[in-house]
Amino acid sequence: MVILGGDKWPENLLSLHKEKIFQATLFNEYGLTETGIWNTAAAIYSPITKNIADINIGKPVSGAEIWLLDRFNQPVSPGSIGEIYIGGYL
């Protein structure tokens, strides 16, 4: 298992490391830098299915809640620009 964390990574990162991770499941995880806790996770590559998913920050992990809000703290529609708000119990 290989876990990478952070914002969206360059599209060529997966191709650069494809041979090295061929036998490992690759996850992208995202969370607050200040806490060192992952709040979202996405499986990007699985050696079992050989499927490569879009690189994204994934879905909330158990106990986390994620909102994407505009400057007025209102939810934005899919594809819109906003800020990530993280809550819940972790």
Side-chain angles (χ1 to χ4, degrees), residues 11 18 23-24 26 38-39 41 43-44 47 54 61 68-69 72 83 85:
E11 296 294 331
K18 189 173 181 181
Q23 298 300 321
L26 175 63
W38 292 318
N39 302 104
I44 303 302
D54 290 333
V61 296
L68 189 60
L69 306 177
F72 302 108
E83 285 198 45
Y85 285 73

Side-chain angles (χ1 to χ4, degrees), residues 30-62:
Y30 177 84
L32 299 173
T33 301
E34 297 83 357
T35 64
I37 298 171
W38 292 318
N39 302 104
T40 67
I44 303 302
Y45 171 79
S46 168
I48 296 168
T49 64
K50 306 271 192 269
N51 289 337
I52 298 173
D54 290 333
I55 298 170
N56 62 75
I57 66 168
K59 297 181 179 182
V61 296
S62 179

